[in-house]
Amino acid sequence: MTPPALSLTDLSKTFPVGRTLFGTPRASVKAVHPITLTVPQGQTLGIVGESGCGKSTLARMLVGLLEPTTGRIEIEGAALDTADPAAFGKRIQYIFQDPISSLNPRKTIRQIVETPLKRLHGLDRAARAARISEIFASVNLREEFLDRYPHEFSGGQAQRIGIARALAANAKTLILDEPVSALDVSVQAQVLNLLADLKREFGLTYLFISHDLAVVEAVSDRIAVLYFGSVVEIGPAERVFRTPRHPYTRLLADSAPVVGRPLTAPEAKGTELPDPLDPPPGCAFAARCPRASGRCRTEAPALAAVGPDHEAACFHPLEAAD
Ligand SMILES: Nc1ncnc2c1ncn2[C@@H]1O[C@H](COP(=O)(O)OP(=O)(O)OP(=O)(O)O)[C@@H](O)[C@H]1O
Ligand SMILES: [Mg+2]
């Protein structure tokens, strides 16, 4: 049996905030509560959630930019050594939201794309040039761009360069953190099509983070809905928004997905997310939930099966036909 591309076990992150005179943290913020999930090879897991729910914190742990507080990360069945950044780079790569500022402005495109070929794979000059030609062809960029600098490119071109850099590392798993949010709608479609082609061509696995429901539904095999640092629902992409089982997912889905519209639930207006410094004892969604009972305010529900390959963290899940 092939191991999953990505497997997370109880992965969490707590940030210390504020310092006393003695340097000890005053308080802590649990940005990501323990998350356990797997992504099979060749699939796309979409992650949706409102601003501040922990999407980027999760992504940054997966690529070694942030040390997890608890838990473990396995890629293709082998644990990632969180102390060795180069080991991450060969197996998992990060594509950033803001394509131009994610490229070093003082380096040419050739230098940017060559770095992983040199550092991670130790290729010589001729091998690097051959590999760059191949990669540029797969992301539809002309080789004459190689001696230019990042500021000379449009957002869509810069994002394709970012994708080329990730491909150069030869990693099979890509973490895409809002990869098209900064782009015009017409350019978004081009980049999404390119990502779909590359996934097919190279058998890539994606973790696709976005606050845009329509985009996530279109690109994902499965979708995880994040609320206040926890996965509240996870299931097949075609079911999660069509027959949501968690009241929070229903609220999101009811705000009619429109491409490019930011994700804020209608009733969320005026109703803030819980205070991360003073989280509620029970379900984090209880204060906004029409179905909440006394139990929801004192006890936090765990993810439980609600259907085939479909889980929700709710004591009173919606019926499939509700
Ligand atoms: N370095 C840090 N120190 C303290 N708190 C942090 C730090 N980074 C993130 N947080 C907190 O962790 C929570 C999750 O933040 P994160 O950036 O992961 O959210 P997000 O879902 O990516 O939001 P957005 O959609 O706005 O990008 C927030 O409450 C944020 O304030
Ligand atoms: Mg973010």
Side-chain angles (χ1 to χ4, degrees):
M1 220 178 84
T2 39
L6 187 63
S7 168
L8 318 181
T9 313
D10 289 327
L11 193 70
S12 79
K13 182 68 192 178
T14 304
F15 291 108
V17 286
R19 296 268 167 200
T20 63
L21 272 180
F22 306 103
T24 46
R26 271 181 208 284
S28 58
V29 167
K30 246 187 172 180
V32 174
H33 295 244
I35 287 184
T36 296
L37 57 80
T38 57
V39 189
Q41 289 183 30
Q43 284 206 3
T44 297
L45 174 69
I47 304 246
V48 284
E50 287 166 275
S51 183
C53 72
K55 302 181 298 292
S56 296
T57 304
L58 174 65
R60 293 164 68 82
M61 286 193 282
L62 296 179
V63 292
L65 291 171
L66 263 184
E67 176 110 32
T69 306
T70 66
R72 103 195 218 110
I73 303 168
E74 280 175 29
I75 299 192
E76 289 158 36
L80 261 196
D81 178 0
T82 47
D84 178 10
F88 274 82
K90 276 190 202 172
R91 303 168 73 191
I92 191 160
Q93 282 283 321
Y94 194 33
I95 294 191
F96 297 84
Q97 169 167 7
D98 184 351
I100 295 177
S101 68
S102 77
L103 303 172
N104 186 335
R106 284 182 292 276
K107 294 202 162 159
T108 64
I109 304 310
R110 185 190 307 279
Q111 288 168 324
I112 289 170
V113 180
E114 264 191 340
T115 303
L117 295 175
K118 241 193 275 189
R119 292 238 181 99
L120 297 176
H121 296 286
L123 297 187
D124 66 24
R125 205 184 172 85
R128 290 200 301 266
R131 183 81 180 108
I132 286 178
S133 297
E134 241 172 61
I135 293 167
F136 259 51
S138 21
V139 298
N140 311 322
L141 285 170
R142 294 204 299 273
E143 285 187 52
E144 66 196 64
F145 290 168
L146 282 167
D147 296 307
R148 299 193 196 164
Y149 288 87
H151 69 266
E152 298 174 55
F153 295 94
S154 69
Q157 288 169 330
Q159 195 56 298
R160 281 186 277 151
I161 294 166
I163 294 169
R165 175 176 58 182
L167 292 178
N170 218 6
K172 287 276 182 257
T173 302
L174 301 191
I175 310 297
L176 303 138
D177 190 358
E178 308 267 12
V180 297
S181 311
L183 307 176
D184 290 343
V185 172
S186 61
V187 181
Q188 284 190 3
Q190 285 172 18
V191 172
L192 291 173
N193 286 336
L194 172 65
L195 287 169
D197 290 345
L198 295 173
K199 182 179 155 184
R200 255 193 315 273
E201 191 177 341
F202 301 114
L204 303 175
T205 302
Y206 292 157
L207 200 102
F208 191 104
I209 296 173
S210 178
H211 58 257
D212 187 323
L213 247 61
V215 167
V216 165
E217 190 173 36
V219 303
S220 304
D221 297 292
R222 300 178 79 227
I223 293 175
V225 179
L226 220 56
Y227 185 74
F228 201 62
S230 297
V231 175
V232 296
E233 179 156 3
I234 181 166
E238 66 279 8
R239 281 210 293 276
V240 167
F241 297 135
R242 308 245 158 115
T243 51
R245 309 299 298 277
H246 195 289
Y248 175 62
T249 314
R250 156 74 75 80
L251 197 65
L252 291 181
D254 283 352
S255 59
V258 173
V259 176
R261 184 159 99 186
L263 186 60
T264 20
E267 279 132 88
K269 286 185 193 115
T271 323
E272 292 286 306
L273 287 167
D275 178 2
L277 288 170
D278 184 22
C283 172
F285 186 60
R288 290 164 71 180
C289 183
R291 298 168 78 93
S293 65
R295 186 183 181 196
C296 305
R297 292 180 229 281
T298 55
E299 201 182 322
L303 277 176
V306 289
D309 191 32
H310 195 164
E311 292 177 299
C314 182
F315 293 127
H316 313 290
L318 300 156
E319 292 302 314
D322 264 2

